[in-house]
Amino acid sequence: MTIKYILLVIILLIILKITGKFRSRELAGREYLLWLVVWVGGAFVILRPETATFVANLVGVGRGTDFMVYISVTVLFYLVFRILVRQEKTEREITKIVREIAINQSVRPLGTNNNEYERDTINK
Amino acid sequence: MFLCSSVLVMRIYALIPAYNEEKSIRTVVADVKRYVDEAVVIDDGSSDATSSEASAGGAFVLRHVVNRGQGAALQTGFDFVRETELRVAPARPAPPDAVAAEARFRNRGLVVVTFDADGQFEASEIPHLIGPVVCGDVDVTLGSRFLGKSINMPLLKRLLLRLAVWFSNITIGVRLTDTHNGFRALSASALQTIQIIQDRMAHGSEIVAEIEKHNLRYVELPVTVRYSEYSKAKGQKFLDYFKIIFDLFVRKLVQ
Protein backbone atom coordinates (compact mmCIF):
# COMPACT_ATOMS: atom_id res chain seq x y z
CA MET A 1 0.00 0.00 0.00
CA THR A 2 2.71 2.45 0.94
CA ILE A 3 4.37 2.13 -2.46
CA LYS A 4 1.25 3.62 -3.98
CA TYR A 5 1.57 6.77 -1.94
CA ILE A 6 5.30 7.10 -2.48
CA LEU A 7 4.72 6.82 -6.22
CA LEU A 8 1.93 9.37 -6.06
CA VAL A 9 4.17 11.81 -4.22
CA ILE A 10 6.91 11.28 -6.79
CA ILE A 11 4.47 11.86 -9.62
CA LEU A 12 3.23 15.01 -7.93
CA LEU A 13 6.81 16.29 -7.69
CA ILE A 14 7.39 15.46 -11.35
CA ILE A 15 4.25 17.33 -12.34
CA LEU A 16 5.40 20.32 -10.33
CA LYS A 17 8.82 20.16 -11.97
CA ILE A 18 7.54 20.04 -15.52
CA THR A 19 5.07 22.81 -14.77
CA GLY A 20 8.00 24.87 -13.59
CA LYS A 21 9.87 24.11 -16.80
CA PHE A 22 6.85 25.11 -18.81
CA ARG A 23 6.50 28.36 -16.92
CA SER A 24 10.16 29.21 -17.44
CA ARG A 25 9.80 28.54 -21.17
CA GLU A 26 12.17 25.59 -21.17
CA LEU A 27 9.43 23.22 -22.18
CA ALA A 28 7.09 23.79 -25.13
CA GLY A 29 3.36 23.91 -24.54
CA ARG A 30 2.53 20.89 -26.63
CA GLU A 31 5.17 18.74 -25.00
CA TYR A 32 4.14 19.89 -21.54
CA LEU A 33 0.56 18.88 -22.22
CA LEU A 34 1.66 15.49 -23.50
CA TRP A 35 3.77 14.67 -20.47
CA LEU A 36 1.10 16.06 -18.15
CA VAL A 37 -1.38 13.62 -19.63
CA VAL A 38 1.14 10.79 -19.19
CA TRP A 39 1.86 11.52 -15.55
CA VAL A 40 -1.70 12.35 -14.54
CA GLY A 41 -2.79 9.22 -16.39
CA GLY A 42 -0.16 7.25 -14.49
CA ALA A 43 -1.35 8.66 -11.19
CA PHE A 44 -4.92 7.84 -12.13
CA VAL A 45 -4.05 4.23 -12.90
CA ILE A 46 -2.19 3.90 -9.61
CA LEU A 47 -5.16 5.31 -7.70
CA ARG A 48 -7.70 3.23 -9.57
CA PRO A 49 -5.96 0.06 -10.81
CA GLU A 50 -9.30 -1.22 -12.07
CA THR A 51 -8.99 1.13 -15.01
CA ALA A 52 -6.00 -0.76 -16.32
CA THR A 53 -7.77 -4.09 -15.93
CA PHE A 54 -10.84 -2.68 -17.67
CA VAL A 55 -8.87 -1.48 -20.69
CA ALA A 56 -6.78 -4.64 -20.67
CA ASN A 57 -9.88 -6.80 -20.91
CA LEU A 58 -11.15 -4.59 -23.71
CA VAL A 59 -8.15 -5.47 -25.84
CA GLY A 60 -8.00 -9.07 -24.72
CA VAL A 61 -5.15 -8.97 -22.22
CA GLY A 62 -5.63 -10.64 -18.85
CA ARG A 63 -4.12 -8.35 -16.23
CA GLY A 64 -4.11 -4.58 -16.06
CA THR A 65 -0.48 -4.48 -15.07
CA ASP A 66 0.52 -6.65 -18.01
CA PHE A 67 -1.27 -4.27 -20.29
CA MET A 68 0.51 -1.26 -18.76
CA VAL A 69 3.83 -2.97 -19.28
CA TYR A 70 3.09 -3.80 -22.90
CA ILE A 71 2.06 -0.23 -23.65
CA SER A 72 4.99 1.29 -21.79
CA VAL A 73 7.58 -0.91 -23.46
CA THR A 74 6.20 -0.23 -26.93
CA VAL A 75 6.15 3.50 -26.36
CA LEU A 76 9.65 3.42 -24.90
CA PHE A 77 11.07 1.53 -27.86
CA TYR A 78 9.47 4.00 -30.19
CA LEU A 79 10.83 6.98 -28.27
CA VAL A 80 14.32 5.53 -28.20
CA PHE A 81 14.15 4.92 -31.95
CA ARG A 82 13.18 8.55 -32.47
CA ILE A 83 16.06 9.71 -30.30
CA LEU A 84 18.61 7.59 -32.21
CA VAL A 85 17.36 8.89 -35.54
CA ARG A 86 17.58 12.46 -34.27
CA GLN A 87 21.06 11.83 -32.97
CA GLU A 88 22.22 10.51 -36.33
CA LYS A 89 20.93 13.69 -37.94
CA THR A 90 22.78 15.80 -35.40
CA GLU A 91 26.01 13.92 -36.05
CA ARG A 92 25.73 14.63 -39.76
CA GLU A 93 25.12 18.30 -39.12
CA ILE A 94 28.19 18.48 -36.92
CA THR A 95 30.26 16.94 -39.68
CA LYS A 96 28.94 19.50 -42.14
CA ILE A 97 30.02 22.31 -39.84
CA VAL A 98 33.46 20.83 -39.19
CA ARG A 99 33.92 20.34 -42.92
CA GLU A 100 32.94 23.91 -43.68
CA ILE A 101 35.46 25.19 -41.14
CA ALA A 102 38.18 22.95 -42.52
CA ILE A 103 37.72 24.11 -46.09
CA ASN A 104 37.08 27.76 -45.25
CA GLN A 105 40.18 28.04 -43.15
CA SER A 106 42.39 26.77 -45.89
CA VAL A 107 41.11 28.47 -48.97
CA ARG A 108 40.16 32.12 -48.90
CA PRO A 109 38.93 33.81 -50.82
CA LEU A 110 37.91 31.51 -53.66
CA GLY A 111 39.61 33.08 -56.63
CA THR A 112 37.45 34.39 -59.37
CA ASN A 113 40.01 35.70 -61.77
CA ASN A 114 43.22 34.27 -60.46
CA ASN A 115 44.47 30.77 -59.95
CA GLU A 116 46.12 31.39 -56.63
CA TYR A 117 44.42 30.97 -53.30
CA GLU A 118 45.63 32.33 -50.02
CA ARG A 119 46.88 29.77 -47.61
CA ASP A 120 46.34 29.97 -43.93
CA THR A 121 48.76 29.61 -41.03
CA ILE A 122 49.05 25.85 -41.34
CA ASN A 123 49.90 25.95 -45.00
CA LYS A 124 52.41 28.84 -45.24
CA MET B 1 53.86 5.82 -68.19
CA PHE B 2 50.31 5.14 -69.35
CA LEU B 3 49.19 2.77 -71.99
CA CYS B 4 46.65 5.05 -73.63
CA SER B 5 47.38 7.86 -76.00
CA SER B 6 44.48 10.21 -75.36
CA VAL B 7 45.67 11.56 -72.05
CA LEU B 8 44.39 15.01 -71.14
CA VAL B 9 46.57 17.34 -69.16
CA MET B 10 46.01 15.72 -65.83
CA ARG B 11 46.02 17.16 -62.38
CA ILE B 12 46.63 14.44 -59.87
CA TYR B 13 45.58 14.93 -56.28
CA ALA B 14 46.35 12.64 -53.37
CA LEU B 15 43.96 12.73 -50.44
CA ILE B 16 45.38 11.40 -47.20
CA PRO B 17 43.00 11.31 -44.24
CA ALA B 18 44.99 11.16 -41.02
CA TYR B 19 44.31 10.83 -37.34
CA ASN B 20 47.25 11.02 -34.93
CA GLU B 21 49.83 9.87 -37.44
CA GLU B 22 52.64 12.26 -36.62
CA LYS B 23 55.20 9.46 -36.79
CA SER B 24 54.43 8.29 -40.28
CA ILE B 25 52.76 11.19 -42.07
CA ARG B 26 55.89 13.03 -43.09
CA THR B 27 57.41 10.07 -44.92
CA VAL B 28 54.09 9.12 -46.44
CA VAL B 29 53.63 12.65 -47.80
CA ALA B 30 57.18 12.78 -49.12
CA ASP B 31 56.73 9.45 -50.88
CA VAL B 32 53.34 10.31 -52.33
CA LYS B 33 54.41 13.72 -53.58
CA ARG B 34 56.74 12.08 -56.07
CA TYR B 35 53.78 10.73 -58.00
CA VAL B 36 51.12 13.44 -57.68
CA ASP B 37 50.72 17.16 -58.27
CA GLU B 38 49.19 18.03 -54.94
CA ALA B 39 49.14 16.05 -51.73
CA VAL B 40 46.28 17.00 -49.42
CA VAL B 41 46.26 15.75 -45.86
CA ILE B 42 42.98 15.91 -43.98
CA ASP B 43 43.79 16.04 -40.31
CA ASP B 44 40.77 14.57 -38.57
CA GLY B 45 41.09 16.36 -35.26
CA SER B 46 44.44 14.90 -34.27
CA SER B 47 45.77 15.66 -30.85
CA ASP B 48 49.39 15.27 -31.92
CA ALA B 49 51.59 17.04 -34.43
CA THR B 50 50.05 15.47 -37.53
CA SER B 51 49.14 18.81 -39.13
CA SER B 52 52.55 20.40 -38.75
CA GLU B 53 54.35 17.22 -39.75
CA ALA B 54 52.22 16.93 -42.85
CA SER B 55 52.78 20.55 -43.71
CA ALA B 56 56.51 20.16 -43.15
CA GLY B 57 56.46 17.24 -45.53
CA GLY B 58 54.99 19.52 -48.20
CA ALA B 59 51.31 18.59 -48.07
CA PHE B 60 48.38 20.97 -48.16
CA VAL B 61 46.54 20.53 -44.89
CA LEU B 62 42.86 20.62 -44.09
CA ARG B 63 42.01 20.34 -40.45
CA HIS B 64 38.83 19.06 -38.81
CA VAL B 65 38.49 20.86 -35.50
CA VAL B 66 37.07 17.70 -33.94
CA ASN B 67 37.40 14.07 -34.94
CA ARG B 68 34.64 12.99 -37.31
CA GLY B 69 35.91 9.74 -38.76
CA GLN B 70 37.81 8.59 -41.83
CA GLY B 71 34.70 8.69 -44.03
CA ALA B 72 34.04 12.29 -43.10
CA ALA B 73 37.69 13.20 -43.68
CA LEU B 74 37.61 11.69 -47.16
CA GLN B 75 34.43 13.53 -48.09
CA THR B 76 35.99 16.76 -46.87
CA GLY B 77 38.90 16.03 -49.19
CA PHE B 78 36.50 15.39 -52.06
CA ASP B 79 34.63 18.64 -51.43
CA PHE B 80 37.90 20.53 -51.21
CA VAL B 81 39.11 19.26 -54.58
CA ARG B 82 35.74 20.01 -56.13
CA GLU B 83 35.80 23.53 -54.78
CA THR B 84 39.29 24.36 -55.84
CA GLU B 85 38.99 22.74 -59.24
CA LEU B 86 35.47 23.93 -59.92
CA ARG B 87 36.12 27.37 -58.39
CA VAL B 88 32.67 27.24 -56.86
CA ALA B 89 31.65 26.16 -53.37
CA PRO B 90 28.91 23.52 -53.48
CA ALA B 91 26.86 25.19 -50.81
CA ARG B 92 27.32 28.73 -51.99
CA PRO B 93 25.46 30.37 -54.83
CA ALA B 94 26.45 28.82 -58.13
CA PRO B 95 27.77 30.95 -60.96
CA PRO B 96 25.33 31.74 -63.79
CA ASP B 97 26.75 28.99 -65.94
CA ALA B 98 26.71 26.39 -63.17
CA VAL B 99 25.49 23.61 -65.43
CA ALA B 100 28.20 24.29 -67.98
CA ALA B 101 30.81 24.59 -65.24
CA GLU B 102 29.81 21.25 -63.83
CA ALA B 103 29.95 19.66 -67.25
CA ARG B 104 33.41 21.10 -67.79
CA PHE B 105 34.42 19.78 -64.41
CA ARG B 106 33.26 16.30 -65.20
CA ASN B 107 35.35 16.19 -68.32
CA ARG B 108 38.33 17.75 -66.70
CA GLY B 109 41.64 16.03 -66.65
CA LEU B 110 41.50 15.29 -62.98
CA VAL B 111 42.21 12.22 -60.92
CA VAL B 112 42.08 11.86 -57.16
CA VAL B 113 43.95 9.16 -55.29
CA THR B 114 43.02 8.25 -51.74
CA PHE B 115 45.90 6.99 -49.66
CA ASP B 116 46.31 5.88 -46.06
CA ALA B 117 48.47 7.85 -43.66
CA ASP B 118 49.95 4.94 -41.73
CA GLY B 119 52.51 3.81 -44.28
CA GLN B 120 50.82 0.55 -45.20
CA PHE B 121 50.60 1.40 -48.89
CA GLU B 122 53.30 1.72 -51.53
CA ALA B 123 53.33 5.16 -53.14
CA SER B 124 55.12 3.70 -56.15
CA GLU B 125 51.90 1.89 -57.04
CA ILE B 126 50.06 5.17 -57.61
CA PRO B 127 50.79 5.43 -61.35
CA HIS B 128 49.60 1.83 -61.78
CA LEU B 129 46.40 2.57 -59.90
CA ILE B 130 45.47 5.81 -61.65
CA GLY B 131 46.16 4.38 -65.11
CA PRO B 132 42.62 3.22 -65.93
CA VAL B 133 41.10 6.48 -64.71
CA VAL B 134 43.59 8.62 -66.62
CA CYS B 135 42.87 6.69 -69.78
CA GLY B 136 39.16 7.20 -69.27
CA ASP B 137 38.37 3.49 -69.01
CA VAL B 138 36.85 3.64 -65.56
CA ASP B 139 35.59 6.13 -63.02
CA VAL B 140 36.95 4.34 -59.98
CA THR B 141 39.94 2.10 -59.44
CA LEU B 142 39.83 0.05 -56.26
CA GLY B 143 42.93 -1.43 -54.72
CA SER B 144 42.78 -4.99 -53.47
CA ARG B 145 45.26 -6.58 -51.12
CA PHE B 146 43.83 -10.01 -51.85
CA LEU B 147 44.52 -9.61 -55.54
CA GLY B 148 47.90 -8.14 -54.67
CA LYS B 149 50.05 -8.74 -51.64
CA SER B 150 49.35 -8.49 -47.95
CA ILE B 151 52.51 -8.67 -45.89
CA ASN B 152 52.44 -9.66 -42.23
CA MET B 153 48.68 -9.41 -42.05
CA PRO B 154 47.28 -10.61 -38.72
CA LEU B 155 45.24 -13.76 -39.24
CA LEU B 156 42.17 -12.56 -37.37
CA LYS B 157 42.08 -9.38 -39.40
CA ARG B 158 42.36 -11.37 -42.61
CA LEU B 159 39.44 -13.57 -41.57
CA LEU B 160 37.27 -10.66 -40.50
CA LEU B 161 38.01 -8.74 -43.67
CA ARG B 162 37.16 -11.77 -45.82
CA LEU B 163 33.90 -12.01 -43.92
CA ALA B 164 33.10 -8.35 -44.51
CA VAL B 165 33.92 -8.75 -48.21
CA TRP B 166 31.70 -11.82 -48.49
CA PHE B 167 28.86 -9.98 -46.79
CA SER B 168 29.31 -6.95 -49.01
CA ASN B 169 29.26 -9.10 -52.14
CA ILE B 170 25.99 -10.61 -51.03
CA THR B 171 24.25 -7.38 -50.18
CA ILE B 172 25.65 -5.10 -52.87
CA GLY B 173 25.71 -5.95 -56.55
CA VAL B 174 29.33 -4.98 -56.96
CA ARG B 175 31.57 -8.05 -56.65
CA LEU B 176 34.91 -7.28 -55.11
CA THR B 177 37.80 -9.03 -53.42
CA ASP B 178 38.65 -6.21 -51.04
CA THR B 179 35.94 -3.79 -50.03
CA HIS B 180 37.76 -1.89 -47.31
CA ASN B 181 40.88 -0.72 -48.97
CA GLY B 182 41.79 2.93 -48.64
CA PHE B 183 43.86 2.92 -51.83
CA ARG B 184 41.55 4.14 -54.57
CA ALA B 185 41.56 6.42 -57.58
CA LEU B 186 38.59 8.49 -58.67
CA SER B 187 37.77 10.48 -61.78
CA ALA B 188 36.23 13.94 -61.69
CA SER B 189 32.92 12.32 -62.56
CA ALA B 190 33.12 9.94 -59.61
CA LEU B 191 34.15 12.82 -57.37
CA GLN B 192 31.07 14.72 -58.39
CA THR B 193 28.70 11.80 -57.87
CA ILE B 194 29.92 9.98 -54.80
CA GLN B 195 28.71 11.36 -51.51
CA ILE B 196 29.98 9.77 -48.30
CA ILE B 197 27.49 10.16 -45.49
CA GLN B 198 28.81 7.46 -43.17
CA ASP B 199 31.40 9.33 -41.17
CA ARG B 200 33.15 6.39 -39.60
CA MET B 201 34.54 3.11 -40.87
CA ALA B 202 31.43 1.98 -42.70
CA HIS B 203 32.31 4.42 -45.49
CA GLY B 204 34.15 1.66 -47.33
CA SER B 205 30.91 -0.19 -47.91
CA GLU B 206 29.21 3.08 -48.70
CA ILE B 207 31.62 3.82 -51.54
CA VAL B 208 30.88 0.40 -53.00
CA ALA B 209 27.14 1.05 -52.66
CA GLU B 210 27.54 4.43 -54.35
CA ILE B 211 29.37 2.78 -57.23
CA GLU B 212 26.45 0.44 -57.67
CA LYS B 213 23.84 3.14 -57.25
CA HIS B 214 25.34 5.48 -59.83
CA ASN B 215 26.51 2.73 -62.17
CA LEU B 216 30.08 3.97 -62.10
CA ARG B 217 32.62 2.08 -64.13
CA TYR B 218 35.17 0.45 -61.87
CA VAL B 219 38.04 -1.97 -61.83
CA GLU B 220 39.92 -3.69 -59.02
CA LEU B 221 43.69 -3.73 -59.19
CA PRO B 222 46.23 -5.51 -56.99
CA VAL B 223 48.04 -3.42 -54.41
CA THR B 224 50.53 -4.17 -51.68
CA VAL B 225 49.56 -3.68 -48.06
CA ARG B 226 52.35 -3.94 -45.56
CA TYR B 227 51.64 -4.44 -41.88
CA SER B 228 54.25 -3.27 -39.45
CA GLU B 229 54.19 -3.27 -35.66
CA TYR B 230 53.29 0.40 -35.79
CA SER B 231 50.34 0.05 -38.15
CA LYS B 232 49.15 -3.14 -36.50
CA ALA B 233 48.99 -1.35 -33.17
CA LYS B 234 47.00 1.46 -34.71
CA GLY B 235 44.75 -0.82 -36.72
CA GLN B 236 41.00 -0.99 -36.61
CA LYS B 237 39.58 -2.57 -33.58
CA PHE B 238 37.87 -5.86 -34.30
CA LEU B 239 34.65 -4.39 -32.99
CA ASP B 240 34.67 -2.05 -35.99
CA TYR B 241 34.30 -4.99 -38.35
CA PHE B 242 31.14 -6.09 -36.67
CA LYS B 243 29.89 -2.52 -36.85
CA ILE B 244 30.65 -2.45 -40.56
CA ILE B 245 28.76 -5.68 -41.15
CA PHE B 246 25.90 -4.43 -39.00
CA ASP B 247 25.70 -1.19 -40.96
CA LEU B 248 25.63 -3.13 -44.22
CA PHE B 249 22.85 -5.27 -42.83
CA VAL B 250 20.80 -2.26 -41.74
CA ARG B 251 21.32 -0.59 -45.10
CA LYS B 252 19.96 -3.67 -46.83
CA LEU B 253 16.96 -3.74 -44.51
CA VAL B 254 16.18 -0.09 -45.09
CA GLN B 255 16.34 -0.37 -48.88
Side-chain angles (χ1 to χ4, degrees), chain A residues 31-45:
Chain A
E31 297 220 349
Y32 170 61
L33 213 61
L34 192 70
W35 286 112
L36 202 62
V37 166
V38 167
W39 292 114
V40 167
F44 189 75
V45 170

Side-chain angles (χ1 to χ4, degrees), chain A residues 88 91-92 94-95 98-107 110-111 114-115 117 119-120 122-124, chain B residues 38 51 55 59-66 68 71-72 75-76 79-80 83-84 87-89 92 197 199:
Chain A
E88 174 71 22
E91 289 286 319
R92 293 198 187 162
I94 293 178
T95 297
V98 171
R99 178 166 301 146
E100 186 79 7
I101 294 174
I103 295 180
N104 278 357
Q105 280 192 343
S106 69
V107 183
L110 290 173
N114 58 346
N115 284 326
Y117 38 85
R119 297 179 175 216
D120 62 357
I122 306 179
N123 292 300
K124 283 286 183 296
Chain B
E38 179 104 55
S51 267
S55 199
F60 189 81
V61 177
L62 297 169
R63 185 170 159 77
H64 278 175
V65 283
V66 290
R68 299 310 297 162
Q75 186 61 48
T76 297
D79 283 3
F80 170 74
E83 282 194 33
T84 47
R87 293 285 177 269
V88 162
R92 287 162 212 148
I197 300 178
D199 290 351

Side-chain angles (χ1 to χ4, degrees), chain B residues 19 31 53 58 76 78 126 136 149 191 201 212 216 228 249:
Chain B
Y19 179 61
D31 287 341
E53 283 292 303
T76 297
F78 291 166
I126 290 179
K149 278 192 292 223
L191 208 68
M201 288 318 292
E212 180 189 47
L216 297 174
S228 63
F249 193 65

